[in-house]
Amino acid sequence: MNAPAHAAQLQPRIDPRPVPQALLDALSQRFGAQLSTAQAVREQHGRDEGSIQAPPPAAVVFAESTQDVQDAMRLAAQHEVPVIAYGAGSSLEGHLLAVQGGISIDVGRMNKVLSIDADDLTVTVQPGITRKALNEAIKDTGLFFPIDPGADASIGGMAATRASGTNAVRYGTMRENVLALEVVTANGDVIRTGTRAKKSSAGYDLTRLMVGSEGTLGIFTEVTVRLYPLPEAVSAAICSFPSIEAAVRTVIQTIQLGVPIARVELIDANSVRMVNAHSRLALREEPMLLMEFHGSAASVQEQAETVQGIASEFGGQAFEWASTPEERTRLWTARHNAYFAAVQSRPGCKAISTDTCVPISRLADCLLASVDEADASGIPYFLVGHVGDGNFHFGYLINPAVPEERERAEQLNHRLVARALSMGGTCTGEHGVGVHKMGFLVDETGAGAVDMMRAIKRALDPKNILNPGKIFAL
Amino acid sequence: MNAPAHAAQLQPRIDPRPVPQALLDALSQRFGAQLSTAQAVREQHGRDEGSIQAPPPAAVVFAESTQDVQDAMRLAAQHEVPVIAYGAGSSLEGHLLAVQGGISIDVGRMNKVLSIDADDLTVTVQPGITRKALNEAIKDTGLFFPIDPGADASIGGMAATRASGTNAVRYGTMRENVLALEVVTANGDVIRTGTRAKKSSAGYDLTRLMVGSEGTLGIFTEVTVRLYPLPEAVSAAICSFPSIEAAVRTVIQTIQLGVPIARVELIDANSVRMVNAHSRLALREEPMLLMEFHGSAASVQEQAETVQGIASEFGGQAFEWASTPEERTRLWTARHNAYFAAVQSRPGCKAISTDTCVPISRLADCLLASVDEADASGIPYFLVGHVGDGNFHFGYLINPAVPEERERAEQLNHRLVARALSMGGTCTGEHGVGVHKMGFLVDETGAGAVDMMRAIKRALDPKNILNPGKIFAL
C-alpha cells in the first residue's frame, strides 16, 4: 500500500477577490431587505459543519425565486465575483467557505413543493426544502423520499453533494434519485436537465453531471426526485456482536446474498457508549448493527430471518425488534445523534470525519486495519457506517486548540484513504470533496480525470465564479 | 399540444473531411493486418441497424488493446480526422455513420473479461464483449448481468448509448449499472472514471457523463458493471387483454403499487401475429403482457398473485405460466424476435422505430392516441414496449423505395414525440440521439441545455474528431 501523494487540505488557500462596492450597491437596489451584509449573517453563511474555517462572504442574498437567483448571478458575473449557494449549511468538507470571497445566495426561502406527482412517484421541489419538510409535505400520498444523510439537509444541497446515508443500500443515492433539475448557469441563464420520464438516452447526462458538482457548475432552483411507496411492512432490529469484524462479516454476507435490506448501520462500542450517555439509553456497549427491513409482511419476515441466521453464525446476540414507529424512531434518533453525542463526549472538541467507501469484499480489511490505527493513536474517536454500501465514518474527536491532535487525526485519515484507494474504493462515499479532500481526489482519479473536470468547469464557468476553490484548484 | 419545432433528421448532413493518405500510411505502418481499407469491411462499419445511410469510413482499425486505441486516436488527432468507435453494430439512430468521414475503430476483438469480482457483485470487461458472452463467462458465479436491449450488443456500445431494455424496470439502465470506465480521450490519453465502490461523491460524475455520450467524448476501453445474484426463483407469464388500454392500465397499477416486477413487456396484436408467423407459435392474437418475476420463491408467488389480481380487474385472460428455463427462453426469444418478425412480415421493408418514454401516469394517454394515429395512417406497424418504465416502440414498416411512406412514418414519429414531450417525457428512452433525433433533442431539452452539451464537447474534443455530427450539430 502506497501512501497517497496528497494530504488532506488542513488549511484552504484563502485568496479573496475584491467585491466592489458597485456590486453591493446594485444588489442592494435589486434586493432591498433580501440582502444582508450584517456580520452575524455573513458569518453564519461562511461556515458549514466541517472543521475548516475561512473569512465570510461579503453579503448574503436571500433568494425567493429563480429570477432572484438569475439576477444575483448576473450581477455577480458582471463584476466577476464568486457566488456560493447556501441551503441548510450542513455540509462537512468546507463546501460553503468563501475561500475566494464573493457573495452567498441563500435559497432557504425557496422551500416550496411545486408539484407532487404521486401517480408517477415523483415530486418537484424548490432547492431549499429540507428532506424532513419534504416528507412531511407528502405524508398523505402514501409515498416517501428515502434519502437520509442524518442532518436535515436541503434537497438542493443533497443534490449538490451527491448525498446518500442510511437508506442508500436499498434506494440508492442522490445520483439515482434526482430525475431532473432547473439550473441557473454562470451567466444567469436557466436550463433544464432531464425529464420526469424514468429513463432517457437524450444526449449528455447533464443531470448526473450537475449532481455532485458542489455548486461549481450551476445553482439548482428546482429539483425533481423519485419517491417510493411507503412499504407495507417495516421492521427494525438491533443486534450486538462480539467484535466489529463479526458485525461486518454479517453485513458482507447479507449483501452478497442479495437480501434487499433497507438500512444496515454499524455502530461501534465507543459510539454506543456516547449515544447511551447522550440519549439516556441502555444499549449493550458492544459493536452493534442497526437494521431495517422494508417490504410486504412476508418479505420483511423472510429478510429478517435470513439476516438473523447469518448474524447468529457470527455470534450476533440480543436481536431486539422494534416494529412500532415509536420504537423505530427511538433507535434511529439515537443513530442520528451519534455525531452530536460524540462531540458532547469531549467538551470543546471538533470531529474530523472520514468518508471512505470500499467494495464490500474489502470492507472488513479496510475497517479493521483503520480501527487498529485509531486505537493506537490515542485520539478519541467513534465509528459509524453505512456498511451495506461499504461506506463508514470515523469521527476523530480532536481538541482544535492543539494543532498536533489535528495533525495526528489527519494522518489517520490519510492512511485510511490510502488503504481504501488501494482496495478499489473512494475517498468520499457521500460527503463530497469541498476544500478538504482536493488532494485525495487527485490520488483517487488521477491527474487526467481531474484535468477533464477542470476543462468542463472552464467551459461552463469561464470566469470561475461558481463556488471557486472547491473540488480542484483552478 | 404544440408540435415540436424540429423534425427528425431524415437525411443527415454528409460533410466528409479529407482523410490524408499520410494518415492511412501511418495507420498501415502501425497496425499492419489490423487495418483494413477493403470496401466490404468499410461498408459494414459505416452502417448500423437504423434506416439512415451515409458513405462508409475510409478505413477500419481492429484494435486489440487500449494502446491500439490510443495510437489510432493520436494519429487521427494529428490529422484532425474523425474517429468512430464500433462495437457490435446494433445501434439504431445512425450512431456509426461516418457523416464527416474519418476512420472506424472496431473494438470487437477487445472482448475479454478482465476481472470477475463476484464477492463485490462487479465485473470489469473490455468494451467489445457482448452481453450474452458476458453472461456466459460469469455463469458459474451465481451472478448475472441483467441489462438486455434485445440485440446482442457490446457492453461498450450499450454504455455509449445508455442502453436498457426489458429488465430495466427492476435493475435500472446502463446509467445505474456502469460503475467505472477506462476512456481514451480525444488526444489519445487514458483516464479512469469511478471506482469499484458502490457509491462516491468524488468530484464530477465523469462516468455518468461518458455513459450515453455516443462516442463523442471518448472511446471506452474498459467497463466495470454491476452484477446481481441470480434470483432464487424466476417465473414468467403471459396474459392477453381485450385492449391495449387494459394491458397498459394493468402495468400502471403494478408500478404504482411498487411491485418489484423484473420485466413487463407490452406486445400488441400486430406483433403477436408477426411473432406467431415467424416463430411458429400459437399465441392469442390480442394485446399481451409478457412478465417476469424474480426473487425468493415466496416473493415471486406474492408478486405474481398481486399482478394476476390487477390483470383480472382489467379483463386479463389466459394467464399462462412458464417456470422452466426452456419455456421462458421460448417466450423471450419470441419477444426478442418481434423486430425481425415484423420486418419479415413485409418483404423489403425497413422499420422506423420510435423510442419515447413518458411518466407512467401518462403512458395510456400517450400510447393510445399514437395507436389511433398509426391505425389511421395506413402504414403497417408493430408496437412493443418496456411499459413498466413508460417506454415503448412503434416500428413503422415502410417501403424504402417510396419516400412518401418514410415521410408519413416520420410524421407519426414527430407527433408521438411532441405528445411525449408535452407529457413530461423524453424523445428517447434507450436508443440515443445519433443523427436521427438531433432536432427532437433541442425540443426536449431546450437550446440552452444543448449549448451546454456543445460547450462540454468543445472543451473535451476541441478538434471535434470524436464521432462528430452526432447528438447535436457543431
Side-chain angles (χ1 to χ4, degrees):
Chain A
M1 189 185 78
N2 295 316
H6 303 87
Q9 198 88 18
L10 301 188
Q11 196 48 53
R13 195 170 140 204
I14 307 289
D15 193 9
R17 303 185 216 172
V19 175
Q21 188 59 41
L23 170 61
L24 296 177
D25 291 346
L27 287 169
S28 176
Q29 187 169 1
R30 165 65 179 78
F31 288 103
Q34 284 174 255
L35 181 77
S36 175
T37 53
Q39 182 74 11
V41 173
R42 291 164 47 214
E43 282 183 356
Q44 187 219 335
H45 286 79
R47 61 175 179 245
D48 62 12
E49 295 286 340
S51 65
I52 298 178
Q53 296 184 339
V60 179
V61 173
F62 291 90
E64 296 176 359
S65 66
T66 299
Q67 189 66 56
D68 282 354
V69 176
Q70 288 187 267
D71 290 352
M73 185 72 89
R74 285 197 179 119
L75 289 171
Q78 270 175 31
H79 295 276
E80 304 205 7
V81 161
V83 169
I84 304 167
Y86 184 98
S90 55
S91 58
L92 287 164
E93 303 293 352
H95 294 91
L96 299 172
L97 272 51
V99 292
Q100 297 189 19
I103 62 169
S104 172
I105 300 187
D106 184 325
V107 297
R109 295 180 188 173
M110 295 175 67
N111 61 0
K112 290 186 198 60
V113 173
L114 298 173
S115 157
I116 301 175
D117 298 288
D119 287 348
D120 293 317
L121 312 177
T122 69
V123 65
T124 299
V125 299
Q126 289 185 310
I129 193 170
T130 69
R131 65 177 183 90
K132 287 183 185 171
L134 169 57
N135 273 316
E136 185 63 24
I138 60 174
K139 71 173 182 218
D140 294 333
T141 62
L143 304 173
F144 78 116
F145 175 68
I147 316 291
D148 169 10
D152 191 19
S154 69
I155 298 297
M158 288 169 64
T161 49
R162 206 182 295 126
S164 46
T166 60
N167 276 309
V169 62
R170 166 96 176 229
Y171 298 96
T173 72
M174 291 303 274
R175 178 174 80 193
E176 286 80 23
N177 285 287
V178 176
L179 277 172
L181 292 166
E182 181 186 83
V183 182
V184 173
T185 66
N187 61 8
D189 290 344
V190 172
I191 64 157
R192 287 187 170 274
T193 74
T195 69
R196 292 201 309 108
K198 197 177 150 204
K199 63 181 197 179
S200 171
S201 288
Y204 299 168
D205 192 345
L206 298 180
T207 306
R208 250 53 56 180
L209 177 64
M210 289 289 165
V211 170
S213 64
E214 303 188 5
T216 67
L217 297 179
I219 296 184
F220 307 157
T221 45
E222 288 185 23
V223 188
T224 300
V225 295
R226 293 176 67 178
L227 302 175
Y228 295 82
L230 278 165
E232 180 190 321
V234 175
S235 184
I238 52 175
C239 181
S240 295
F241 289 85
S243 66
I244 290 178
E245 175 161 14
V248 169
R249 300 241 173 252
T250 299
V251 174
I252 293 174
Q253 200 160 324
T254 298
I255 297 301
Q256 289 176 347
L257 278 175
V259 178
I261 195 166
R263 291 168 146 171
V264 54
E265 295 288 302
L266 172 70
I267 307 175
D268 78 335
N270 289 343
S271 307
V272 178
R273 197 160 39 244
M274 295 166 184
V275 162
N276 275 344
H278 179 268
S279 301
R280 294 200 184 79
L281 293 170
L283 301 166
R284 289 164 71 113
E285 297 189 350
E286 291 177 352
M288 166 189 294
L289 291 180
L290 177 44
M291 291 167 277
E292 199 166 278
F293 305 97
H294 294 181
S296 68
S299 154
V300 161
Q301 192 182 340
E302 194 172 50
Q303 293 175 48
E305 279 168 9
T306 304
V307 175
Q308 208 158 355
I310 299 169
S312 56
E313 273 176 46
F314 289 104
Q317 285 185 15
F319 238 83
E320 279 175 39
W321 291 95
S323 290
T324 69
E326 296 71 28
E327 288 172 304
R328 285 203 305 275
T329 301
R330 188 179 58 94
L331 288 181
W332 285 107
T333 304
R335 162 65 186 91
H336 282 336
N337 286 341
Y339 177 86
F340 303 103
V343 172
Q344 286 189 9
S345 74
R346 190 182 184 195
C349 79
K350 279 266 180 196
I352 293 185
S353 178
T354 72
D355 185 31
T356 48
C357 183
V358 294
I360 193 85
S361 72
R362 309 308 302 274
L363 178 61
D365 292 345
C366 187
L367 208 154
L368 295 172
S370 303
V371 165
D372 287 346
E373 285 180 350
D375 284 339
S377 76
I379 304 260
Y381 73 92
F382 67 103
L383 168 64
V384 294
H386 316 308
V387 278
D389 288 322
N391 183 209
F392 56 89
H393 309 297
F394 281 88
Y396 306 119
L397 304 173
I398 60 149
N399 179 345
V402 182
E404 192 270 340
E405 284 200 15
R406 180 185 289 270
E407 254 169 59
R408 258 194 295 160
E410 289 293 359
Q411 277 164 16
L412 290 172
N413 189 9
H414 193 80
R415 283 200 290 273
L416 169 53
V417 169
R419 183 171 293 119
L421 298 188
S422 76
M423 293 172 169
T426 175
C427 66
T428 174
E430 57 184 18
H431 293 171
V433 176
V435 298
H436 187 220
K437 298 202 189 103
M438 291 179 9
F440 291 156
L441 181 68
V442 180
D443 291 320
E444 177 172 332
T445 68
V450 176
D451 281 345
M452 185 175 280
M453 295 182 201
R454 282 195 185 94
I456 293 167
K457 167 75 168 165
R458 284 197 191 98
L460 304 192
D461 178 20
K463 294 174 178 168
N464 193 23
I465 59 172
L466 282 162
N467 205 8
K470 311 298 160 63
I471 306 182
F472 39 71
L474 195 65
Chain B
M1 187 185 81
N2 294 315
H6 304 86
Q9 197 88 20
L10 300 187
Q11 197 49 53
R13 195 169 140 206
I14 307 288
D15 193 9
R17 304 186 215 169
V19 175
Q21 187 60 40
L23 170 61
L24 296 176
D25 292 346
L27 287 169
S28 174
Q29 187 169 3
R30 165 65 180 80
F31 289 103
Q34 283 173 256
L35 180 77
S36 175
T37 52
Q39 183 75 11
V41 173
R42 291 166 47 215
E43 282 184 355
Q44 186 217 337
H45 287 78
R47 60 175 180 246
D48 61 12
E49 295 286 339
S51 64
I52 299 178
Q53 296 184 339
V60 179
V61 173
F62 291 90
E64 295 176 359
S65 66
T66 299
Q67 189 65 56
D68 282 354
V69 176
Q70 289 186 266
D71 289 351
M73 185 72 89
R74 286 197 179 119
L75 289 171
Q78 270 175 33
H79 295 276
E80 304 204 9
V81 162
V83 169
I84 304 167
Y86 184 97
S90 54
S91 57
L92 288 164
E93 302 293 353
H95 294 92
L96 298 172
L97 271 52
V99 291
Q100 298 190 18
I103 62 169
S104 171
I105 299 187
D106 184 326
V107 297
R109 295 180 189 174
M110 296 174 67
N111 60 1
K112 289 186 197 61
V113 173
L114 298 173
S115 157
I116 301 175
D117 298 289
D119 287 348
D120 294 317
L121 311 177
T122 69
V123 66
T124 300
V125 299
Q126 290 185 309
I129 192 169
T130 69
R131 65 177 183 88
K132 287 184 185 171
L134 170 57
N135 273 315
E136 184 64 24
I138 59 174
K139 71 175 182 213
D140 294 333
T141 62
L143 304 174
F144 78 117
F145 176 68
I147 315 293
D148 170 9
D152 191 20
S154 69
I155 298 297
M158 288 170 65
T161 49
R162 207 181 296 127
S164 48
T166 60
N167 277 309
V169 63
R170 165 96 176 230
Y171 298 95
T173 72
M174 290 304 274
R175 178 174 81 192
E176 286 80 23
N177 286 288
V178 175
L179 277 172
L181 293 166
E182 181 186 84
V183 182
V184 172
T185 66
N187 61 9
D189 290 345
V190 172
I191 64 157
R192 287 187 169 273
T193 74
T195 68
R196 291 201 310 108
K198 197 178 150 205
K199 63 181 197 179
S200 171
S201 288
Y204 300 166
D205 193 344
L206 298 180
T207 306
R208 250 53 56 179
L209 177 64
M210 288 289 165
V211 170
S213 63
E214 303 188 4
T216 66
L217 298 179
I219 296 184
F220 307 157
T221 46
E222 287 184 25
V223 188
T224 301
V225 294
R226 292 175 68 179
L227 302 175
Y228 295 81
L230 279 165
E232 180 190 322
V234 174
S235 185
I238 53 175
C239 181
S240 295
F241 288 85
S243 66
I244 289 179
E245 175 161 17
V248 170
R249 300 244 174 250
T250 299
V251 173
I252 292 174
Q253 199 161 322
T254 299
I255 297 300
Q256 289 176 347
L257 277 175
V259 177
I261 196 166
R263 291 167 148 174
V264 54
E265 295 288 303
L266 172 71
I267 306 174
D268 78 335
N270 289 343
S271 308
V272 177
R273 195 161 39 245
M274 295 164 183
V275 162
N276 275 344
H278 179 267
S279 302
R280 294 200 184 79
L281 293 170
L283 301 166
R284 287 163 71 113
E285 296 188 351
E286 291 177 352
M288 164 189 294
L289 291 179
L290 177 45
M291 291 167 275
E292 199 166 280
F293 305 96
H294 294 179
S296 68
S299 153
V300 162
Q301 193 183 340
E302 193 173 49
Q303 294 173 48
E305 279 169 10
T306 304
V307 175
Q308 207 158 356
I310 298 169
S312 55
E313 273 176 46
F314 290 104
Q317 284 186 16
F319 238 84
E320 279 177 39
W321 291 96
S323 291
T324 69
E326 294 71 28
E327 287 171 303
R328 285 204 306 277
T329 300
R330 189 180 56 95
L331 286 181
W332 285 107
T333 303
R335 162 65 186 91
H336 282 335
N337 285 341
Y339 177 86
F340 303 102
V343 172
Q344 287 189 9
S345 73
R346 191 182 183 195
C349 78
K350 280 266 180 195
I352 292 185
S353 178
T354 73
D355 186 31
T356 48
C357 182
V358 294
I360 193 86
S361 72
R362 309 307 302 273
L363 178 60
D365 292 344
C366 187
L367 208 154
L368 295 172
S370 302
V371 165
D372 287 346
E373 285 180 350
D375 284 338
S377 76
I379 303 262
Y381 72 93
F382 67 103
L383 168 65
V384 294
H386 317 307
V387 279
D389 288 321
N391 183 208
F392 56 88
H393 310 297
F394 281 88
Y396 307 118
L397 304 173
I398 61 148
N399 179 344
V402 182
E404 191 270 341
E405 284 200 16
R406 179 185 290 270
E407 254 170 57
R408 259 195 295 159
E410 290 293 358
Q411 277 164 15
L412 290 172
N413 189 10
H414 194 79
R415 283 201 290 273
L416 169 54
V417 169
R419 182 171 294 119
L421 299 187
S422 76
M423 293 174 170
T426 175
C427 66
T428 173
E430 57 183 18
H431 293 171
V433 176
V435 298
H436 188 220
K437 298 203 189 102
M438 289 178 12
F440 291 156
L441 181 68
V442 180
D443 291 321
E444 176 172 331
T445 68
V450 176
D451 281 344
M452 185 175 281
M453 296 182 202
R454 283 195 185 95
I456 294 167
K457 168 74 170 168
R458 283 197 192 98
L460 304 192
D461 178 19
K463 294 174 179 168
N464 193 24
I465 59 172
L466 282 163
N467 206 9
K470 311 298 160 65
I471 305 182
F472 39 72
L474 194 67

